[in-house]
Amino acid sequence: MSRIRAAFWDPAGERYGIPTYPWRMAPAHLLTLRQLTAEGLRPGGQGVQAQVLWRSKRHGAPGVRAAYLYDVRFALPKRTASPRQRAALAKANAARRTCPECLRDAGYVLPRHLGVCLDCADEAAHATESARGVAA
């Protein structure tokens, strides 16, 4: 085992407070949130059971990164939304895509800094430019 891996090997949790493993060396029953989700599971109220630590140079700054692990044996199936919840989400998403100026569904979530669809924002910008040109 390399020195880097040995630095993160703490299955008893004496050094880091919780069981800690190097990259790709955690037991098979411990999964990340993404791995649980891919299996159709959720943590089910359990806290973090362990962590994986590794050295990273992401964005140019060296440091140590962590991924938290949950025990698959205590995981529960993911909840499914009720038909009413799905309808409410569809309505909310439609409202986020509807332009208040032209009242069209833009097909994308409207940028919050503009508050309108890109077509309406372009028209407003051209109107402002032409008004400035006339005033000058």
Side-chain angles (χ1 to χ4, degrees):
M1 189 179 320
S2 72
R3 285 187 302 163
I4 291 173
R5 288 188 178 205
F8 298 138
W9 182 258
D10 182 24
E14 296 169 358
R15 190 176 335 152
Y16 295 103
I18 60 173
T20 303
Y21 301 95
W23 181 255
R24 296 188 185 265
M25 293 191 70
H29 69 279
L30 296 174
L31 302 177
T32 65
L33 275 176
R34 283 190 178 189
Q35 290 170 326
L36 283 176
T37 301
E39 304 244 345
L41 300 171
R42 61 186 169 96
Q46 67 174 304
V48 173
Q49 301 294 316
Q51 65 183 348
V52 170
L53 295 179
W54 70 96
R55 297 204 188 284
S56 171
K57 294 180 183 174
R58 189 171 196 179
H59 302 297
V64 175
R65 300 196 55 208
Y68 300 112
L69 303 174
Y70 302 87
D71 197 327
V72 73
R73 297 172 294 190
F74 303 124
L76 299 175
K78 287 190 75 164
R79 296 181 196 150
T80 56
S82 71
R84 289 179 118 180
Q85 288 173 320
R86 282 196 291 267
L89 285 171
K91 185 177 177 182
N93 285 329
R96 294 177 66 198
R97 292 189 313 264
T98 303
C99 178
E101 290 286 321
C102 62
L103 302 177
R104 288 185 303 124
D105 184 338
Y108 52 87
V109 175
L110 301 178
R112 287 181 57 190
H113 70 282
L114 296 176
V116 294
C117 67
L118 298 178
D119 294 335
C120 292
D122 281 345
E123 288 177 21
H126 289 308
T128 304
E129 283 179 13
S130 60
R132 284 187 187 154
V134 171

